[in-house]
Amino acid sequence: MIDASDLATVFAVRDLLDYARTRPRPLLLWIGAGASRLNEYPGWLELAERMHKKFIRYEHSYDAEKSQQLLSIRSFPELFDQCRKVSPHRYNSALEDAFRPLTISPVYSRMVQLLLKIK
């Protein structure tokens, strides 16, 4: 999110606007996965913690100790890969639960509408 009270952000936005005005080619906006947080989807840490809890509870072959270490160092790809290997079905089910379609929040809707106005 852009914080207008942060002077460094204000200067960076001004610099970006000047740059965009002087370039002959359009500016490409890269909207990262964090944008989905505005619609209350989980971030990497929350998703990893949820999956870890589910696998500890239901999968006897899940290496809880190793997974806890991966979680503590935020090695999410390795943690997710371990979950997928232990139970592809439970892994996919956890992803489906986490990313089921949600009603679009007002904040997310506003962001999309603002992005659509950019020419």
Side-chain angles (χ1 to χ4, degrees):
M1 299 298 281
I2 294 177
D3 181 1
S5 66
D6 176 24
L7 224 48
T9 299
V10 172
F11 285 115
V13 169
R14 285 180 189 159
D15 193 31
L16 178 63
L17 289 171
D18 288 346
Y19 179 81
R21 284 187 196 114
T22 61
R23 302 294 300 168
R25 294 175 26 180
L27 182 66
L28 172 69
L29 298 178
W30 185 272
I31 308 296
S36 62
R37 301 283 290 141
L38 296 173
N39 205 46
E40 300 181 12
Y41 282 105
W44 288 116
L45 179 59
E46 184 181 346
L47 178 63
E49 288 173 339
R50 282 187 201 174
M51 203 169 288
H52 179 65
K53 286 177 185 175
K54 188 171 280 197
F55 273 72
I56 284 175
R57 184 174 179 150
Y58 296 107
E59 296 295 336
H60 71 281
S61 62
Y62 181 68
D63 188 341
E65 187 176 317
K66 178 181 178 184
S67 297
Q68 183 60 52
Q69 290 172 346
L70 294 172
L71 190 58
S72 68
I73 62 170
R74 297 184 178 211
S75 184
F76 303 131
E78 289 180 64
L79 176 67
F80 294 137
D81 191 49
Q82 181 171 316
C83 292
R84 185 186 52 78
K85 286 177 181 174
V86 168
S87 174
H89 174 74
R90 190 168 311 283
Y91 173 77
N92 289 329
S93 176
L95 290 176
E96 287 173 6
D97 288 346
F99 296 108
R100 69 191 180 288
L102 297 174
T103 302
I104 296 175
S105 73
V107 173
Y108 190 82
S109 180
R110 179 160 164 71
M111 179 194 70
V112 170
Q113 293 306 314
L114 290 171
L115 289 172
L116 290 171
K117 288 181 180 181
I118 297 173
K119 299 211 186 313

